[in-house]
Amino acid sequence: MKLAYWMYAGPAHIGTLRVATSFKNVQAIMHAPIGDDYFNVMRSMLERSRDFTPVTTSVVDRHVLARGSGEKVIDNIVRKDVEGSPDLIILTPTCTSSILQEDLHNFVEQAQMSAKCDVMLADVNHYRVNELQAGDRTLEQVVKFYIEKARKKGELPTAKTSKPSVNILGISTLGFHNHHDCTELKRLMADLGIEVNLVIPEGASVHDLKKLPQAWFNLVPYRELGGMAAKYLELEFGTPCVDITPMGVVETARCIRKIQEVLNAQGADVDYEEFINEQTLYVSEAAWFSRSIDCQNLTGKKAVVFGDSTHAAAMTKILVREMGINVVWAGTYCKYDEEWFRKEVSEYCEEVLITEDHGLIGDAIARVEPSAIFGTQMERHVGKRLNIPCGVIAAPIHVQNFPIGYKPFLGYEGTNQVCDLVYNSFTLGMEDHLLEIFGGHDTKEVITKGISAGADMNWSKEAKATLQQIPGFVRGKVKRNTEKFARDRQVSEITLEVFYAAKESVGA
Amino acid sequence: MTLTAEPQALNFECETGNYHTFCPISCVAWLYQKIEDSFFLVIGTKTCGYFLQNAMGVMIFAEPRYAMAELEEGDISAQLNDYAELKRLCEQIKRDRNPSVIVWIGTCTTEIIKMDLEGLAPKLEAEIGIPIVVARANGLDYAFTQGEDTVLASMAARCPDKAPVIESDKKERNAIASLLNFGKKKEDIDIENSEYAKHPPLVLFGSLPDPVVTNLTLELKKQGIQVSGWLPAKRYTELPVIEEGYYVCGVNPFLSRTATTLMRRRKAKLINAPFPIGPDGTKAWIESICAAMGITPKGLVEREAQIWASMEDYLQLIRGKSVFFMGDNLLEVSLARFLIRAGMHVQEIGIPYMDKRYQDSELELLKKTCFEMNSPMPTIVEKPDNYNQIERIHQLKPDLVITGMAHANPLEARGISTKWSVEFTFAQIHGFTNARDILELVTRPLRRNHNLKDLGWDKLVREGVRANI
């Protein structure tokens, strides 16, 4: 047992439902007790979905415990087949079905005999995988199912498209800024003269999946979703996969160069260097921003980064490589992907944190006292408590992270958005401290955030006044360091002299 | 119609039980705030945690006094010892929060793996010295607000069964009495006690926000009725005394297990009354209590009329309009009854579970209201089927659908006004004073629609887009 107040990644069935409901005309039936269909509420509220979420429950209640849910599950599948005429019904196990250990495979087979649509059981185990892993698996499972089906029927097209084309894998419902990213990626592909063969799962029909092998390559923008399906397609059809997240100027260029390499290997003869150059120097504002005085002011400022693998890694690189910001630590809650994450970020930050424990993250933020945090909604709240600004870069997210306006994180427009996010986070902090320096309205007596800085130290009037002029967000630290300095030297009163001596000595 | 005509019988139906509602563990959200010295430990899986985390929104960041004991694979396969694990977590809670009670919320998982929480609790309680109350608020058996019912039923067993003899002691024990006495001297209290009629002790049950508790308590005081205590009180240590023969009365329609426990185990007498929701319900509730206490109620008719009159602006908006309850929180019958009295037509009352005995007086009042308002008897659909309901909604085209958040946006996009049902659970809706707040909620979509009516964009899905789940 684990005492938990907050979790970063949801349970497995959420991942399956995200993939299932991203497809067009796919119905998910959860094998779960009453109340486990909270997914529908999230989709309806966070994504403000106009359509009914195609998720229903085959309810597990007392009767089911006594008699098993065989008939009921089969009836529910057959009923949904008639009512909604979906292309596919995905029976979704939950934590409850994991322990009931009923033969859901068998129910699916039986239901398949009477249902017109395809029926499948999502192959995920609640106790082994989380939301992200489950989503990746389910996507692979659906792709595989329809490739094999088409192959059996002899309907699998084998020829590649005449012009270079791409499948974009991993865009899904409830994904962080996924819809905007998808638009931006399509735009980027159009600029590169690449046709988009298929985007999955969002908005795709399962009947189109057989077209997947026609693409020249697969683009997997997110580390968390689509990797398994891409690997499957590579094994089956030799379709190369580009899995560099085009987030940030440098990574976007790297992604495009990789695409160029992949296409030229298939005889496309494309050269994107001119495009990259043009975009980087004149279209995207990000490269210019990094040279501007605004960004110069951010040099060496301390930040911490936490989120899913994709966004935390990309953000760390952007902050360090493109803006000269000092990322003290970067972390992810994708524990299962630790090795990859470490490899990606270790040269950019002093420390790598891999944990699912929000308490540890909160403490690590308090310890470092960064000028800005880039994290999830949880880190935003830690920031609120510590008075440190936070830019939200990854799920878990709230309704305000599903903006109506166009806000991609990927591609060249994404680089502009990220600049705004970073700059706004830091300037908020700056504004705050300028206000405190010049406004003089700060009459707060309390200057620490509760971590005992020793109430028994004597500060001279002048020293105290000077301390008050230190910007709010570093004042606590300055005070602690100065007192430590004084204590170490057995000085009982902190005068201006001691204050400056401490500053010189420890850089407080 | 002749005056002797009997009201028709109500029509009850039962569907498949395929509907959306909150998991009953959500009761921790309001109970941990109500019972200030409690700590709620939900023993379940990531699924439970994910639900709570998302359903409670910002409250999660405010250091709530609740946590998950998240079961891992080792717990399920019994490789780990339940007792040792729970002991470890409860000791940590004791260390960090020092609560006066730890409430264990049993979930679907603990039911299925048959974790003997009721057996483990007394042992652990003795060992760590903090009371442990066990409530099985799981989705296998219950819906949404019924979670509170399971917690209060367990708490009922913990109420002291003997009134302390010393007066000062009693004052501490009884939060309501001391609240109303404002620390006055004993003599003053005796004088004040004489303001109350002589009647057997009365304890009310149901968790309500403190302002509503005070409000209803004062409402009864006007009739000379003294409330000896509330289940639950502000603090676990202030649970009311319940002796054999005490009278008890519920304030919410979903408390049938608590009522049963109070009657059978505590030998209390249940006053079966309509619930104090809406001015009509509040009046009927007070009248029923007065009747049981042998007191003639005074001034209630005027009071009710005055409240109705004060709501005339809202009433004008809803008179003659139709409403459809999809059903998810068990407040449906009381709200429907109030809205019929307010002049609306209720097309369907969906409800997760219908206890006809506990809600007997409420159902009677519903019948009477329909008869007096000359409104057709609505069908009460227990364990509704959301798919069928949406078909019926498309057919009936109600002016307002009261429903959960899963359906609200999709229905709005199809031009059907909705009110999110969960708000009725969290808003203050009890007593005369709060009747207006109910109508504020009910009329909100109608007022919004009125503001936007000339824009011509009430249907925002393309023709041919699937209308159903």
Side-chain angles (χ1 to χ4, degrees):
Chain A
M1 272 179 219
K2 202 166 77 181
L3 196 62
Y5 298 86
W6 169 269
M7 67 184 79
Y8 285 103
H13 69 265
I14 298 286
T16 295
L17 296 180
R18 277 178 54 190
V19 167
T21 57
S22 294
F23 279 110
K24 253 194 322 220
N25 214 24
V26 170
Q27 177 82 35
I29 297 184
M30 294 172 70
H31 185 240
I34 278 280
D36 274 3
D37 48 12
Y38 192 73
F39 177 80
N40 297 40
V41 176
M42 289 181 61
R43 190 154 175 278
S44 179
M45 283 182 83
L46 299 179
E47 290 225 312
R48 240 174 261 105
S49 171
R50 300 180 201 206
D51 290 317
F52 291 100
T53 303
V55 174
T56 47
T57 312
S58 179
V59 178
V60 176
D61 57 16
R62 282 283 155 195
H63 301 291
V64 166
L65 289 196
R67 272 184 257 134
S69 50
E71 298 274 296
K72 198 170 179 179
V73 171
I74 296 164
D75 288 351
N76 279 321
I77 294 175
V78 175
R79 177 184 162 187
K80 220 13 105 186
D81 179 44
V82 175
E83 282 171 357
S85 23
D87 297 324
L88 166 69
I89 291 178
I90 300 181
L91 182 61
T92 309
T94 59
C95 56
T96 307
S97 35
S98 281
I99 38 178
L100 282 177
Q101 298 192 321
E102 288 188 272
D103 191 356
L104 297 179
H105 267 294
N106 178 28
F107 303 160
V108 162
E109 274 167 28
Q110 285 188 49
Q112 183 66 84
M113 289 192 273
S114 341
K116 277 207 283 303
C117 69
D118 296 311
V119 188
M120 83 169 50
L121 173 68
D123 179 23
V124 292
N125 179 329
H126 175 91
Y127 293 95
R128 303 274 164 86
V129 295
N130 68 17
E131 168 187 353
L132 306 170
Q133 296 162 292
D136 203 15
R137 264 160 202 264
T138 303
L139 184 61
E140 186 212 24
Q141 200 188 347
V142 175
V143 166
K144 204 165 161 184
F145 182 90
Y146 280 97
I147 293 286
E148 277 169 11
K149 190 176 171 187
R151 185 177 276 152
K152 254 184 230 150
K153 284 188 170 174
E155 290 175 347
L156 204 60
T158 43
K160 302 275 176 208
T161 54
S162 52
K163 279 193 202 155
S165 64
V166 60
N167 298 317
I168 301 175
L169 310 187
I171 307 291
S172 80
T173 188
L174 289 174
F176 183 72
H177 292 244
N178 270 206
H179 289 139
H180 305 306
D181 283 348
C182 184
T183 308
E184 186 62 22
L185 288 177
K186 282 182 182 166
R187 204 174 270 181
L188 180 62
M189 293 305 127
D191 288 347
L192 296 175
I194 298 170
E195 279 171 6
V196 176
N197 187 50
L198 203 57
V199 176
I200 61 167
E202 186 64 43
S205 156
V206 289
H207 298 312
D208 294 338
L209 292 175
K210 58 172 178 282
K211 289 184 357 201
L212 283 169
Q214 289 184 293
W216 290 38
F217 71 102
N218 292 317
L219 177 62
V220 181
Y222 309 116
R223 179 78 192 157
E224 290 76 20
L225 183 61
M228 286 179 73
K231 199 161 282 167
Y232 166 78
L233 292 169
E234 190 159 12
L235 273 175
E236 286 291 311
F237 306 103
T239 317
C241 164
V242 176
D243 60 359
I244 300 164
T245 305
M247 182 170 154
V249 180
V250 178
E251 290 298 288
T252 303
R254 201 159 76 88
C255 177
I256 296 173
R257 288 197 181 103
K258 177 77 187 174
I259 292 173
Q260 172 180 309
E261 182 191 319
V262 159
L263 292 182
N264 286 343
Q266 298 175 61
D269 189 27
V270 289
D271 182 2
Y272 294 139
E273 286 306 326
E274 186 51 36
F275 173 78
I276 294 172
N277 201 41
E278 175 76 13
Q279 288 286 328
T280 305
L281 296 184
Y282 309 115
V283 180
S284 158
E285 293 285 332
W288 158 234
F289 172 78
S290 66
R291 295 291 304 184
S292 71
I293 299 302
D294 285 334
C295 191
Q296 201 184 91
N297 285 334
L298 300 181
T299 307
K301 285 215 174 293
K302 282 203 285 189
V304 296
V305 180
F306 191 75
D308 59 15
S309 307
T310 304
H311 292 93
M315 201 63 197
T316 305
K317 290 185 211 166
I318 294 173
L319 291 172
V320 176
R321 198 161 56 182
E322 298 175 19
M323 298 181 179
I325 289 160
N326 172 19
V327 173
V328 184
W329 56 258
T332 181
Y333 52 83
C334 299
K335 276 173 93 167
Y336 62 93
D337 204 19
E338 174 168 0
E339 202 186 326
W340 179 87
F341 187 79
R342 279 191 189 280
K343 199 177 90 234
E344 288 292 303
V345 303
S346 25
E347 60 177 303
Y348 298 105
C349 58
E350 294 163 27
E351 192 187 343
V352 178
L353 275 177
I354 312 282
T355 180
E356 291 173 328
D357 182 347
H358 72 89
L360 283 180
I361 293 301
D363 289 347
I365 294 173
R367 167 167 54 88
V368 168
E369 300 191 61
S371 310
I373 306 166
F374 298 93
T376 71
Q377 277 291 334
M378 192 66 200
E379 283 67 52
R380 191 173 74 85
H381 283 268
V382 173
K384 254 187 187 169
R385 201 175 303 166
L386 297 176
N387 226 349
I388 302 170
C390 176
V392 174
I393 57 152
I397 37 186
H398 274 318
V399 69
Q400 70 263 37
N401 302 115
F402 290 88
I404 294 172
Y406 185 54
K407 289 202 164 61
F409 269 65
L410 304 187
Y412 285 109
E413 176 55 26
T415 62
N416 294 340
Q417 297 292 336
V418 172
C419 279
D420 280 344
L421 181 77
V422 172
Y423 188 61
N424 289 343
S425 302
F426 278 106
T427 38
L428 281 181
M430 288 290 269
E431 233 170 68
D432 196 40
H433 108 239
L434 289 174
L435 259 179
E436 290 193 9
I437 287 177
F438 297 113
H441 56 64
D442 182 10
T443 52
K444 279 181 285 188
E445 278 301 309
V446 185
I447 46 173
T448 61
K449 292 182 187 106
I451 304 159
S452 64
D456 51 346
M457 285 308 282
N458 258 336
W459 284 69
S460 78
K461 216 174 130 195
E462 297 83 347
K464 206 168 187 173
T466 316
L467 180 68
Q468 291 299 328
Q469 286 166 17
I470 302 288
F473 58 94
V474 289
R475 194 182 302 141
K477 194 172 56 173
V478 172
K479 177 165 190 273
R480 272 195 298 285
N481 285 346
T482 311
E483 292 188 345
K484 184 171 180 297
F485 174 86
R487 244 187 234 109
D488 291 346
R489 282 156 190 77
Q490 321 267 310
V491 180
S492 61
E493 193 188 45
I494 296 170
T495 57
L496 266 183
E497 284 79 359
V498 178
F499 183 76
Y500 287 118
K503 186 168 163 49
E504 282 153 26
S505 144
V506 293
Chain B
M1 190 188 295
T2 58
L3 280 174
T4 50
E6 277 293 303
Q8 292 167 262
L10 286 162
N11 182 19
F12 291 95
E13 275 176 24
C14 186
E15 284 190 306
T16 61
N18 218 324
Y19 63 100
H20 290 279
T21 183
F22 275 15
C23 174
I25 59 171
S26 52
C27 67
V28 309
W30 63 88
L31 287 176
Y32 90 76
Q33 295 192 45
K34 175 68 194 180
I35 308 169
E36 289 171 3
D37 53 353
S38 62
F39 190 97
F40 285 78
L41 184 66
V42 182
I43 305 161
T45 61
K46 248 184 186 320
T47 307
C48 313
Y50 195 68
F51 162 69
L52 279 179
Q53 163 174 329
N54 286 294
M56 288 206 232
V58 289
M59 284 199 284
I60 209 94
F61 302 108
E63 297 223 3
R65 290 186 320 281
Y66 94 85
M68 291 293 308
E70 194 184 314
L71 301 169
E72 292 165 298
E73 202 160 12
D75 298 300
I76 304 301
S77 53
Q79 284 160 1
L80 297 166
N81 178 298
D82 298 338
Y83 184 78
E85 290 295 296
L86 284 167
K87 188 178 166 204
R88 185 170 57 83
L89 301 192
C90 287
E91 277 173 342
Q92 191 182 335
I93 292 165
K94 184 184 174 184
R95 212 169 40 241
D96 295 349
R97 306 294 181 96
N98 193 29
S100 310
V101 62
I102 297 177
V103 183
W104 285 354
I105 303 287
T107 61
C108 304
T109 310
T110 57
E111 286 297 310
I112 296 170
I113 65 173
K114 300 198 171 17
M115 192 183 280
D116 180 21
L117 298 177
E118 276 95 348
L120 298 174
K123 270 190 260 172
L124 191 55
E125 178 171 322
E127 206 166 333
I128 66 170
I130 294 179
I132 295 173
V133 171
V134 180
R136 300 175 170 200
N138 63 71
L140 294 169
D141 301 308
Y142 306 109
F144 197 11
T145 49
Q146 287 181 291
E148 175 181 324
D149 193 23
T150 63
V151 173
L152 295 190
S154 300
M155 292 253 173
R158 300 299 183 113
C159 292
D161 53 7
K162 266 231 152 49
V165 204
I166 318 151
E167 184 64 21
S168 62
D169 201 32
K170 188 176 165 189
K171 219 171 72 182
E172 262 174 48
R173 170 76 68 199
N174 192 328
I176 308 303
S178 57
L179 178 79
L180 296 173
N181 291 334
F182 294 111
K184 287 176 194 126
K185 283 197 211 94
K186 190 175 173 302
E187 307 84 79
D188 296 338
I189 294 168
D190 286 341
I191 294 164
E192 236 173 59
N193 280 345
S194 66
E195 289 173 28
Y196 293 111
K198 257 203 145 11
H199 64 81
L202 169 71
V203 171
L204 301 177
F205 58 94
S207 164
L208 293 176
D210 295 335
V212 184
V213 167
T214 314
N215 188 265
L216 288 180
T217 307
L218 288 171
E219 214 63 75
L220 288 173
K221 191 184 174 193
K222 283 186 195 153
Q223 305 298 332
I225 293 169
Q226 186 173 21
V227 179
S228 309
W230 280 76
L231 173 66
K234 256 171 96 79
R235 303 176 66 82
Y236 177 77
T237 47
E238 292 165 357
L239 279 180
V241 174
I242 299 175
E243 285 184 51
E244 188 171 337
Y246 273 30
Y247 279 82
V248 292
C249 187
V251 297
N252 266 323
F254 44 78
L255 298 171
S256 46
R257 279 175 65 91
T258 310
T260 311
T261 309
L262 289 168
M263 284 192 292
R264 299 218 180 122
R265 293 194 50 189
R266 306 308 304 257
K267 308 276 180 259
K269 293 177 188 159
L270 178 73
I271 302 172
N272 200 308
F275 302 99
I277 293 169
D280 50 339
T282 309
K283 172 172 162 272
W285 182 71
I286 297 173
E287 281 172 348
S288 305
I289 294 174
C290 286
M293 299 294 167
I295 291 166
T296 317
K298 44 185 190 285
L300 284 181
V301 178
E302 299 76 20
R303 188 79 203 280
E304 191 196 346
Q306 177 203 339
I307 298 290
W308 283 114
S310 72
M311 302 192 294
E312 184 54 32
D313 50 341
Y314 279 161
L315 293 172
Q316 280 177 7
L317 293 172
I318 57 171
R319 255 183 221 126
K321 296 248 163 55
S322 55
V323 57
F324 189 110
F325 287 87
M326 286 188 76
D328 69 350
N329 61 14
L330 284 92
L331 294 171
E332 292 87 1
V333 173
S334 308
L335 288 171
R337 176 261 302 149
F338 166 55
L339 293 181
I340 293 171
R341 177 64 69 184
M344 293 187 89
H345 295 298
V346 175
Q347 292 170 329
E348 174 165 332
I349 305 177
I351 189 167
Y353 169 74
M354 182 75 237
D355 184 336
K356 287 184 197 163
R357 274 192 300 176
Y358 175 64
Q359 295 222 38
D360 184 43
S361 305
E362 184 63 87
L363 289 169
E364 280 305 314
L365 184 58
L366 172 66
K367 264 199 280 189
K368 191 169 152 240
T369 306
C370 287
F371 179 67
E372 287 174 3
M373 297 303 290
N374 199 14
S375 175
M377 286 289 157
T379 304
I380 296 178
V381 181
E382 199 179 353
K383 287 168 163 279
D385 184 294
N386 281 169
Y387 181 89
N388 297 343
Q389 285 187 312
I390 286 167
E391 298 274 282
R392 294 198 285 272
I393 287 170
H394 284 314
Q395 238 165 43
L396 294 167
K397 301 198 178 3
D399 295 308
L400 182 67
V401 175
I402 296 182
T403 181
M405 202 62 216
H407 300 309
N409 270 335
L411 284 171
E412 288 283 352
R414 284 160 184 77
I416 294 163
S417 297
T418 59
K419 182 79 216 99
W420 185 32
S421 55
V422 175
E423 279 192 73
F424 292 103
T425 335
F426 296 120
Q428 305 192 353
I429 61 169
H430 291 75
F432 287 122
T433 323
N434 292 319
R436 199 178 162 82
D437 292 27
I438 309 178
L439 290 187
E440 209 283 328
L441 291 178
V442 170
T443 57
R444 195 180 297 159
L446 304 172
R447 283 179 284 135
R448 192 267 320 264
N449 292 352
H450 181 77
N451 292 341
L452 309 183
K453 72 178 185 313
D454 297 328
L455 295 170
W457 55 47
D458 54 340
K459 287 202 181 68
L460 293 147
V461 278
R462 288 200 177 87
E463 291 296 322
V465 169
R466 283 196 307 173
N468 222 318
I469 314 166

